[in-house]
């Protein structure tokens, strides 16, 4: 017999068993706008932080491989919390009776997986990516046997935020160059980002049309404890969409200065840590014109287990290489030169995940992924401060 769990109230923390009746608060499935983007208006979005995308990992090879994938928020809510839909398998993630459940559709009684959590009100429901504990997966019934449950520690639900790369600054305050990951919680109604390795933040000031790169998220509580490295007045909704040069703050005897070389752009989706290296790279710069051009992956050659890139000798341009020295990516006239002998060396960082030259943070140059001899047009369009001559070179 199918096991049925009857909850006397929405606050009753009951065991999910294998099947759940549809909640009386759940709208009919035909009333749900499945796949529609969630509105950002306060009336239809009581929990703005729930608008973030999530990703399930680790279910492949288990009882429910269909759980893996990216989940995007839907427009309507189930018992006051956000509903997420897997764009690949259409699995629904919804809040039911003090737990997050993965189901075939919003008002299905069949459960694929669940994890328990507590919430005193709909506004206090923790997002799935912040719930502590292990997901329990419900296996498929076979041969007339009842379904069975099994904890799968390999399954994780993570926040899938955007990653931004800040590069191009050379001189005082060049430590603002970095890799910034989006925070789950917005700041002052706009996305905020952090470079965890350097403890730096990008955020938009509360009540102000200004984006800031600082060592604090928000203003300093006490005078002298917050450092703003750069700022830019703009009404753009995200920092990589701003236009105009960043103003680098003064430091010591250095006066504040505009720097048109600072750029912020989204890092391309990596496709996993084992994603193949790009076949070609485009180097751009306003300061190091002798380094710009296209660098191609040299077949059959590598340096320290990573690919070697070469820009052939041309008129008014000598041969150049991009190589990995074991800790940093370098651009030099010969592969294997010491860092002191190199033209440019990327920022030394702890390598987490994919490691290609276009993932690195470079001072005074930008190293971008190219395709069929052309720099990615969409990415080029996001880069602020480019002259028409530079744009034509890569069009």
């Amino acid at each position: 017999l199918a096991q049925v769990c009857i909850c006397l109230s929405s606050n009753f923390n009951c065991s999910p068993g294998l099947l759940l009746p549809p909640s009386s608060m759940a709208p009919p499935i035909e009333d749900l706008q499945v796949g529609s983007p969630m509105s950002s208006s306060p009336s239809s979005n009581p929990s703005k932080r729930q608008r973030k995308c999530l990703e399930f990992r680790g279910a492949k090879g288990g009882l429910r491989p269909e759980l893996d994938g990216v989940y995007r928020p839907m427009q309507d809510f189930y018992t006051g919390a956000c509903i997420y839909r897997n764009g690949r398998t259409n699995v629904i993630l919804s809040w039911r009776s003090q737990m997050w459940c993965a189901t075939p559709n919003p008002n299905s009684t069949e459960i694929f997986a669940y994890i328990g959590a507590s919430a005193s009100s709909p506004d206090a429901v923790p997002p799935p990516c912040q719930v502590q504990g292990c997901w329990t997966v419900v296996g498929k019934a076979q041969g007339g046997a009842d379904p069975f449950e099994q904890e799968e520690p390999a399954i994780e639900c993570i926040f899938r935020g955007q990653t931004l790369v800040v590069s191009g600054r050379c001189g005082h305050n060049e430590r603002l160059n970095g890799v910034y990951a989006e925070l789950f919680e917005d700041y002052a109604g706009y996305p905020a980002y952090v470079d965890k390795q350097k403890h730096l933040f990008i955020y938009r000031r509360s009540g102000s049309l200004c984006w800031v790169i600082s060592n604090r998220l928000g203003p300093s509580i006490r005078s002298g404890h917050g450092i703003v490295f750069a700022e830019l007045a703009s009404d753009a909704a995200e920092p990589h969409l701003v236009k105009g040069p960043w103003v680098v703050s003064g430091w010591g005897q250095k006066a504040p200065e505009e720097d048109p070389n600072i750029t912020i752009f989204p890092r391309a989706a990596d496709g996993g840590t084992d994603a193949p290296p790009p076949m070609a790279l485009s180097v751009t710069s306003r300061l190091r014109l002798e380094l710009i051009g296209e660098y191609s992956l040299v077949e059959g050659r590598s340096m320290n287990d990573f690919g070697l890139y070469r820009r052939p000798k041309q008129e008014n341009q000598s041969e150049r290489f991009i190589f990995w020295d074991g800790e940093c990516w370098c651009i030099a006239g010969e592969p294997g030169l010491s860092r002191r002998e190199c033209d440019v060396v990327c920022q030394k960082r702890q390598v987490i995940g994919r490691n290609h030259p276009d993932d690195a943070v470079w001072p005074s140059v930008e190293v971008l992924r190219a395709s069929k001899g052309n720099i990615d047009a969409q990415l080029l369009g996001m880069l602020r401060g480019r002259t028409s001559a530079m744009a034509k070179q890569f069009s």
Side-chain angles (χ1 to χ4, degrees):
L1 295 177
Q3 298 181 8
V4 178
C5 174
I6 302 176
C7 297
L8 298 180
S9 73
S10 60
N11 291 326
F12 184 75
N13 193 357
C14 60
S15 174
L18 303 175
L19 298 174
L20 280 178
S23 167
S24 60
M25 297 179 67
I29 188 169
E30 59 269 19
D31 292 339
L32 288 172
Q33 299 183 30
V34 179
S36 299
M38 187 181 300
S39 170
S40 59
S41 63
S43 60
S44 61
N45 185 16
S47 181
K48 186 173 181 179
R49 65 193 184 126
Q50 300 280 20
R51 297 207 313 267
K52 310 284 187 173
C53 291
L54 309 175
E55 182 178 3
F56 262 75
R57 296 177 178 175
K60 184 179 180 180
L63 297 176
R64 293 287 186 178
E66 62 267 38
L67 293 174
D68 276 355
V70 177
Y71 289 72
R72 300 187 182 280
M74 294 167 59
Q75 187 172 16
D76 288 307
F77 293 86
Y78 193 94
T79 64
C82 179
I83 302 174
Y84 298 89
R85 182 176 69 89
N86 188 318
R88 182 178 62 89
T89 64
N90 290 323
V91 171
I92 297 296
L93 194 61
S94 59
W95 175 255
R96 300 186 182 186
S97 304
Q98 302 295 307
M99 62 184 176
W100 282 100
C101 299
T103 61
N105 55 64
N107 53 357
S108 172
T109 59
E110 182 181 5
I111 303 278
F112 288 165
Y114 65 88
I115 189 169
S118 60
S120 58
S121 67
D123 289 338
V125 173
C129 59
Q130 294 184 352
V131 176
Q132 301 295 319
C134 185
W135 283 84
T136 299
V137 178
V138 182
K140 301 175 183 178
Q142 296 180 351
D146 290 337
F148 61 95
E149 302 182 12
Q150 175 179 307
E151 288 189 350
E152 292 200 8
I155 294 180
E156 60 176 346
C157 179
I158 62 173
F159 165 50
R160 186 181 173 90
Q162 185 168 235
T163 300
L164 301 180
V165 176
V166 179
S167 66
R169 175 59 185 168
C170 186
H172 78 279
N173 285 349
E174 69 177 33
R175 73 184 304 264
L176 62 83
N177 295 328
V179 180
Y180 294 75
E182 184 179 358
L183 295 170
F184 186 80
E185 300 284 353
D186 288 342
Y187 178 82
Y190 291 90
Y193 304 82
V194 61
D195 184 329
K196 292 183 178 180
Q197 294 190 29
K198 303 172 75 175
H199 197 73
L200 295 177
F201 298 87
I202 302 176
Y203 64 93
R204 180 163 159 169
R205 281 202 179 105
S206 178
S208 174
L209 303 180
C210 185
W211 285 95
V212 173
I213 302 177
S214 173
N215 67 340
R216 290 184 58 89
L217 181 60
S220 176
I221 299 176
R222 293 179 294 173
S223 176
H225 287 262
I227 299 175
V228 173
F229 292 94
E231 57 187 338
L232 195 159
S234 172
D235 62 353
E238 298 186 42
H240 63 278
L241 301 178
V242 300
K243 297 181 179 180
W246 284 80
V247 178
V248 179
S249 302
W251 184 264
Q253 296 181 348
K254 299 287 187 180
E257 63 182 27
E258 292 186 351
D259 189 346
N261 300 304
I262 297 176
T263 56
I264 301 180
F265 57 90
R267 172 182 280 182
D270 58 18
T273 57
D274 296 329
M279 299 302 295
L281 299 166
S282 291
V283 176
T284 67
S285 177
R286 285 175 174 239
L287 301 176
R288 304 299 301 271
L289 300 181
E290 75 277 12
L291 302 180
I292 66 174
E294 182 172 303
Y295 294 67
S296 300
L297 186 65
V298 180
E299 186 176 357
R301 293 191 62 184
S302 63
M303 288 283 297
N304 298 303
D305 298 324
F306 285 89
L308 176 68
Y309 293 84
R310 173 179 175 267
R311 186 194 69 182
K313 182 178 180 180
Q314 300 176 4
E315 184 180 358
N316 300 326
Q317 281 190 328
S318 58
E319 188 178 41
R320 284 293 188 276
F321 294 88
I322 300 177
F323 63 92
W324 175 254
D325 74 350
E327 293 183 323
C328 297
W329 286 99
C330 307
I331 302 179
E334 296 179 19
L337 292 180
S338 68
R339 295 182 196 174
R340 183 175 297 180
E341 298 173 296
C342 292
D343 297 302
V344 179
V345 178
C346 82
Q347 189 179 91
K348 185 178 178 180
R349 300 178 61 88
Q350 180 183 358
V351 177
I352 301 176
R354 194 182 70 174
N355 181 31
H356 299 319
D358 57 315
D359 299 315
V361 179
W362 298 84
S364 71
V365 301
E366 290 171 356
V367 179
L368 306 171
R369 186 167 299 219
S371 175
K372 296 181 180 180
N374 295 326
I375 189 172
D376 186 279
Q378 182 179 4
L379 185 57
L380 182 63
M382 292 181 180
L383 300 180
R384 176 197 44 74
R386 293 290 172 268
T387 63
S388 58
M390 184 70 72
K392 289 179 182 178
Q393 179 176 353
F394 296 100
S395 62

